[in-house]
Every structure is written in structure tokens, then in C-alpha cells.
Amino acid sequence: METMSPVERVLRTFEGKPVDRVPVFCAMLESRTANEVLGKPLISSQRSVGFPLTRLFLNALGPRATGPFTRPILAGLLHRRNAAQVALGFDAIWAYYDDTWFFLDSKTIALTTGSLYNVISDGFGNMTYMYRGPGIKSPEDFDAWPHWPRADEVAHRVFRYYKRFISRYGERACIFGCGFFGGLQESMNWTFGIDKAPLWIRRHPVYVKRFLDIVEEVTLKTHTAILDAGVRVVVQMDDFAYKTGPFLSPRMIEEVFGERYRRIIGNVKGRGAKFVLHSCGDNTKLFDLFLQWGVDGFHAYEPTSNVDIYEEKRLHGGRATIIGGVGIDYLLTERSRDEEIVEKVRELIERLAPGGRFILGPAHSEDSIPAHKLRVMLEAAHRYGGYPAAS
Amino acid sequence: MKQSLLDIRNAVTEIRDEDFNALVLRCLQEGHTPMEIVEEGLARGLEEVGRRFEEGEYFLADLILAGDMVTGATDMLREKMPAGETGRKGKVVLATVQGDVHDIGKKVVGIMLGASGYEVIDLGTDVPAAKIVETVRATGSSMVGLSALLTTMVHGIGEVVAGLVEAGLRDRVKVAIGGACCSQRLADEMGVDAFGESAIAAVRVFDGFRDGAAI
């Protein structure tokens, strides 16, 4: 078979059509890995945010500094992480662009949807974040939250970013667009607290509805913006599960999110694009529901969760594209041996490539992933992934 | 079993939280001791919730809702309990390792352990190994539960184990781990005694520690 372009290879895989080899997907990159690929920036993000004057500035101005100061920095950081995925040579990349994060003070960043994160070092000279907790702890907090996202403004900026990105990289990789952090359930978990979200559903259904209305509107509009910019695949992050199963019962997930997701996915597919759902953890009990919503492909299949990627291929591989399979808990860390990565890639391809609809890739991104381990994975996928040998 | 205790048990099992505290108060007024209510009502109900969770009928949200009911009721009853009746199964030190601030799993484990009769000393998140070791020494606890979600932070588990060894406490302290990045492989790698996959499994792990070690 003739060598295909990355875009053709990936889109044909979603259709279940023959391709020249198994495509390889990059599930975002953190700054550490991006810097290894692109070279370090002149001033690291950790130093620029940690500089005493910057801290003074952020503490004094807080959210007011977002537009003129932090947004361009954030945009630059995210762009490096996206461009590095292309530079590594992946067929498909998860291009994440969401500039609605803002500094509350020099130690706290927040999402417009009401969750708080510590500004921390990643241990490699870069600024990163770690979830601190909910920004909204009561209905009164909800009513008083002044930062709710303005969907149209967010969508305009997302459109501009992806338009430029596609014009520069659109031929080199199939771009999976993602213009707003968190899906419906995940956003709710961050905003209200994972351990409090079920209590909100039960005790404050009106506020849950108001919250989901906001997130759905931004999601719909950013997806439309991404598609208008020329992106052909939308990836939506929404962690519905954890290590051993879903947070909520499938029945409750359908009740609370079902109709909304049908609208969100319908919007994407109505434009002829593909919809990929990234959901960490063991989603075994949810895949049928997700398929009813219209999802085209699933990403993660974390090896540390109880999900069985091979069984999922058997059950759903005829309808959905399976994306992922390579663990970041051990294989894509300094602790593994390169031969172990090669062996796992070979096994995944042998067992999942026949019949198509399989895109190999890491289950997630983390600072612990060295670039050279991704290169080992890529080379192994290129070596063993050729069709029809794999099928 | 008296009807009022059964009502409490059933309310927990079926996660009916409307007027639940009133039900508990009525039980007290009928003459049941706080410990009877905890053991025969709340704990039994939570056991059934755990069983349904393990069988796939209930989900994490159900554990949270039931746990919230039991925690609220236990807090109310604790004030009326004689000293020494709480935490009869021993003390467990829980912590999320240094560098990691995720704690939903640990919180649920704490609720389940508390309802099962353990005294839980939850040190929170991002806890340095030295603090965990010092707490074990100061409280005389013989069980430690460590939570880690991020692969980048797993070295924190090894630091706690090394700290316990250095302090001469390792021989009398059992250590269990749990969290998204944890596995039996990691437990073996880090030299801990057990890996718990879920909050319900964690109760079994600590019960197992008790059975195997004098508390």
C-alpha cells in the first residue's frame, strides 16, 4: 500500500478503512518533554512566574492581570507543547489550547468555571499546576463567582489559535482540537469537589443545571470554533471514571449528562468531523452509553485501571476507534527499559491492529515522560505497525 | 434487631438521607447507646453499601453519599460516647505523599475505616515523609495508608518506607498504598506491605494487618 499522509491515515482509521500502518497519537505533552524536544526557552516559566516583581504584580492585580499579561504567556506555553508533538513526528496530536486560566495570586491559578490550582514547579524548571480544590463550596459562592467564562469571547480566541496552528502544522499531523478544559462531569468535579459533586447533584439540582448550561455553551461554541478553523477531529476530555469504575452510575450519567452530550457530539458530527472522548480510569461500564451518544473514538485505556483494552477491541472495535494503550505509570518513564516499550508496542499492535480502528499512543501526559521514551515508542510503532503484516 | 436500628441500617443501605439525623436521634431517645447505633445501624448499613459497591450495583458516588450520612451521624454520636469506645480497631495514619495534593480516594478510605472501627489520623495532602514517621511515633500507630495519584510523586512512598526503617519503626508498622498510579508492581518496587485497589479493599487490607499483627 502507498504511504499515506498522517491526516489520511488517521481519518481512514476512524472510518475503519485500510491504511498503510497503525497511526500513532500523542496525548498532549507537558513542558518538560516539550523542552526536551524544542530546546529550553530563554527564561523558564518557573523563573518568570517566580521572579519577585512578577509575584508582586500577580499578587497586586490578580485576575485583572489575566488579559494583558498572563494570556500571552499561557498561549506561548501551550503552543510549545502542541508544536513539540508535531516535531516528534506523531501522526495525530492532541493540540490543547485554553487561555481561560487566570492567576488569582502568585500561588494560585483558577479556571473560569470555578476551580483552584496550586502553582508549582514540575521539578524540571517549569511552572505547572496541581488541583487544590473547589472554588465553589456553596450556592452562595456560586452566585458570587465573578469569573464565569464568556463563551463567545473564548470561542473567538480559540478560532484564531487553531486557524494559525492548522495553517502551519495541518499537513504534518492530524490535529485533534481541544479548546476548553474539562468536560461536563469533570468540570463539575473540579468546581464543586470530587467528593462533593454527588451531594450537589442531590441537594442543589438547580445549581448543577445552571453550571452545566454554562459549560455546555462554552463547549459547543469552542468546538464550533475549532471546526471552523479546519480541525477534523475534536477531542473532549471528561474523566467519567477512576481506577476501578465510574464515579457515578451509568443511569445517573445518562440522566445528568446524556442529552447534553448528544447535542455536543451531534454538533461535531453534523459538521463531518470525528468526536473522541478522553476519559481516564475504567470506563468498561460506560462504553455502550458513550457509543449511544455517538462517540467515534475513545482515548486512555490506562493500564493501571481495570479496563481491558483487548476485550474492548473485541466488544466495540467494530464501531469505535481505540486510542492509547501505552502506560505512563512505568513504561514511559525513566524507570523502564527501552526493550520493554518495544515489546509492549509490538503486543498492542499484534492484538489490536487487526481489523483496523486502532491508534497507538500513551494513555496520558505527565512531567515524568522523557522525550526519548516517546521516540522509542514511535520507532517501534513504525517498525511493527505496517499493514497488512499486522492484519 | 430493634426496628429503629434496622431503619438506620436500611436508610444507609438505600442512601436515603432525608430526615436521617432525626432517625438517629430517635434511636438515642429510645435508649440505644451510641455504640449500638454505630455498630448495628451505621456500620452494618455501610457494610452493605460496600458489598453492593464491590458487586457493581453501587458506584463511587454512592459510597460518598452513604459515607456523608454516616460521617454526619457519627460526629453527632461521638460526643455522647464514653472515652475509649471510638477507634477500637487501632490507629491508622493516612496521608497523600509529598508533592501530590489529590485526596478524594484517601478521604473515602478514611470514611470507610472510621465507620469500620478504626481511629483515622488523616494528615492531609502533600505530606513530607518525616511528618508521617513522626506521627507514627507520636501516636503509636501500627498502620499507615499512603495515597499517590501521580507517577511523578511515587518516590514519596519510598521515602516514607526509608524513614520508618531509619526510625527503627518499620518492623512494627504495616504500610499500604492506593491511588491512581498504584499497583502491586509499585507496592513491590517500593517495599510496602499491601496495595488496596478501592476504599472497600482498603478496609480488608487493614483488617488483614490487624489479624496478622498485634495491635
Side-chain angles (χ1 to χ4, degrees):
Chain A
M1 189 177 284
E2 257 182 54
T3 302
M4 293 175 174
S5 73
V7 176
E8 187 183 13
R9 184 176 297 126
V10 173
L11 293 180
R12 284 178 66 89
T13 298
F14 277 108
E15 301 287 349
K17 293 176 180 168
V19 290
D20 56 344
R21 66 166 168 77
V22 172
V24 194
F25 169 70
C26 191
M28 296 199 277
L29 283 184
E30 303 303 319
S31 292
R32 173 261 174 110
T33 323
N35 290 346
E36 284 181 7
V37 177
L38 300 176
K40 288 183 180 172
L42 281 176
I43 304 173
S44 77
S45 53
Q46 187 186 352
R47 281 194 68 192
S48 61
V49 172
F51 191 63
L53 266 179
T54 315
R55 286 211 304 268
L56 202 67
F57 178 72
L58 291 171
N59 285 332
L61 291 180
R64 280 179 291 165
T66 299
F69 179 68
T70 61
R71 196 174 288 148
I73 293 176
L74 185 58
L77 273 175
L78 294 174
H79 178 73
R80 283 176 62 79
R81 292 159 54 155
N82 294 337
Q85 296 177 65
V86 180
L88 275 167
F90 283 92
D91 297 299
I93 68 152
W94 180 336
Y96 169 63
Y97 181 83
D98 173 4
D99 63 13
T100 63
W101 299 81
F102 60 93
F103 279 88
L104 275 178
D105 54 53
S106 64
K107 292 179 177 172
T108 312
I109 54 174
L111 276 174
T112 48
T113 42
S115 48
L116 308 179
Y117 304 78
N118 293 332
V119 176
I120 60 166
S121 161
D122 68 352
F124 299 93
N126 310 294
M127 180 200 84
T128 188
Y129 63 91
M130 191 178 284
Y131 180 62
R132 180 192 297 170
I136 293 176
K137 295 178 179 173
S138 66
E140 292 73 26
D141 285 352
F142 189 104
D143 290 330
W145 182 254
H147 306 293
W148 294 113
R150 295 175 183 155
D152 289 319
E153 291 175 17
V154 175
H156 283 309
R157 296 199 301 271
V158 164
F159 171 79
R160 281 203 301 273
Y161 177 77
Y162 282 99
K163 191 77 181 166
R164 281 200 303 273
F165 195 80
I166 282 279
S167 69
R168 191 162 171 193
Y169 299 108
E171 298 294 320
R172 292 171 62 186
C174 183
I175 314 297
F176 289 18
C178 178
F180 194 66
F181 185 84
L184 300 177
Q185 176 174 306
E186 188 174 336
S187 294
M188 204 169 81
N189 282 347
W190 299 142
T191 298
F192 301 133
I194 299 173
D195 56 330
K196 296 287 185 286
L199 302 171
W200 275 78
I201 291 173
R202 181 169 279 205
R203 293 174 190 163
H204 307 296
V206 173
Y207 281 90
V208 168
K209 181 185 176 305
R210 283 173 61 190
F211 178 78
L212 294 177
D213 284 347
I214 292 167
V215 180
E216 183 183 339
E217 185 194 4
V218 186
T219 304
L220 281 166
K221 288 183 172 172
T222 52
H223 285 175
T224 300
I226 289 169
L227 298 171
D228 283 347
V231 170
R232 313 276 293 276
V233 181
V234 166
V235 55
Q236 176 70 55
M237 61 178 97
D238 202 345
D239 291 341
F240 281 96
Y242 63 104
K243 201 176 183 71
T244 60
F247 290 111
L248 304 175
S249 69
R251 183 180 53 79
M252 192 181 278
I253 287 173
E254 172 59 23
E255 277 174 21
V256 180
F257 309 109
E259 278 311 305
R260 294 178 187 276
Y261 260 111
R262 286 186 175 85
R263 286 193 288 272
I264 288 168
I265 296 170
N267 177 49
V268 172
K269 297 182 78 164
R271 303 283 300 271
K274 300 296 177 190
F275 186 93
V276 171
L277 179 67
H278 161 92
S279 179
C280 288
D282 179 4
N283 295 275
T284 304
K285 291 179 176 165
L286 300 174
F287 285 119
D288 285 323
L289 181 62
F290 296 153
L291 279 169
Q292 286 171 29
W293 291 353
V295 174
D296 296 297
F298 299 111
H299 173 250
Y301 302 96
E302 286 181 294
T304 49
S305 78
N306 287 350
V307 70
D308 182 343
I309 194 169
Y310 305 116
E311 179 65 2
E312 287 308 317
K313 169 74 178 182
R314 190 184 70 76
L315 289 172
H316 301 117
R319 295 170 62 196
T321 298
I322 287 173
I323 307 165
V326 183
I328 65 160
D329 58 304
Y330 172 72
L331 280 181
L332 296 178
T333 69
E334 296 284 7
R335 287 157 40 224
S336 73
R337 287 178 291 113
D338 290 357
E339 308 88 82
E340 292 175 298
I341 299 172
V342 172
E343 194 46 45
K344 185 64 184 181
V345 167
R346 198 171 162 174
E347 179 196 326
L348 286 164
I349 288 173
E350 273 177 13
R351 298 181 64 181
L352 298 172
R357 284 205 168 97
F358 171 56
I359 301 176
L360 185 129
H364 220 295
S365 67
E366 248 195 54
D367 306 305
S368 50
I369 301 178
H372 77 265
K373 298 289 180 178
L374 290 173
R375 291 193 178 101
V376 170
M377 183 191 78
L378 266 166
E379 283 168 19
H382 291 171
R383 194 182 318 147
Y384 298 110
Y387 286 103
S391 57
Chain B
M1 185 187 292
K2 293 272 177 57
Q3 187 58 44
S4 52
L5 287 173
L6 201 58
D7 288 344
I8 287 177
R9 188 166 123 183
N10 290 340
V12 174
T13 301
E14 288 153 25
I15 315 176
R16 284 185 276 107
D17 58 357
E18 267 180 49
D19 301 325
F20 182 63
N21 286 352
L23 200 62
V24 174
L25 283 175
R26 195 164 72 233
C27 218
L28 275 174
Q29 284 160 3
E30 285 177 12
H32 294 290
T33 65
M35 192 47 77
E36 270 181 321
I37 297 172
V38 169
E39 290 190 341
E40 298 301 316
L42 301 174
R44 289 280 186 86
L46 208 53
E47 269 174 33
E48 178 59 16
V49 169
R51 192 189 65 74
R52 292 184 187 190
F53 173 78
E54 293 219 303
E55 289 186 356
E57 185 184 342
Y58 276 178
F59 293 82
L60 184 65
D62 301 306
L63 284 188
I64 290 170
L65 291 167
D68 185 68
M69 291 169 67
V70 169
T71 303
T74 307
D75 287 347
M76 198 166 72
L77 292 169
R78 189 172 289 128
E79 296 165 12
K80 302 176 192 305
M81 281 183 193
E85 278 202 11
T86 55
R88 67 195 184 288
K89 282 190 177 176
K91 295 172 184 167
V92 179
V93 175
L94 292 183
T96 301
V97 296
Q98 187 161 30
D100 199 336
V101 298
H102 299 86
D103 72 344
I104 170 62
K106 176 176 65 61
K107 276 185 184 172
V108 181
V109 167
I111 290 168
M112 292 299 149
L113 288 175
S116 303
Y118 289 92
E119 182 182 340
V120 176
I121 303 159
D122 189 340
L123 298 179
T125 63
D126 191 14
V127 186
K131 185 174 177 186
I132 296 169
V133 173
E134 186 44 43
T135 306
V136 168
R137 189 204 304 276
T139 60
S141 168
S142 58
M143 293 172 277
V144 172
L146 300 175
S147 170
L149 181 128
L150 301 171
T151 308
T152 34
M153 303 305 170
V154 295
H155 55 84
I157 297 169
E159 285 168 12
V160 174
V161 173
L164 289 169
V165 171
E166 198 178 317
L169 297 168
R170 184 69 182 97
D171 291 345
R172 70 161 187 83
V173 176
K174 297 283 189 186
V175 182
I177 59 169
C181 70
C182 295
S183 60
Q184 189 56 51
R185 175 209 282 264
L186 187 69
D188 297 340
E189 217 177 298
M190 294 291 159
V192 300
D193 303 293
F195 156 64
E197 194 175 51
S198 68
I200 302 303
V203 176
R204 273 200 302 273
V205 164
F206 286 103
D207 283 349
F209 286 168
R210 283 187 78 240
D211 293 343
I215 303 294

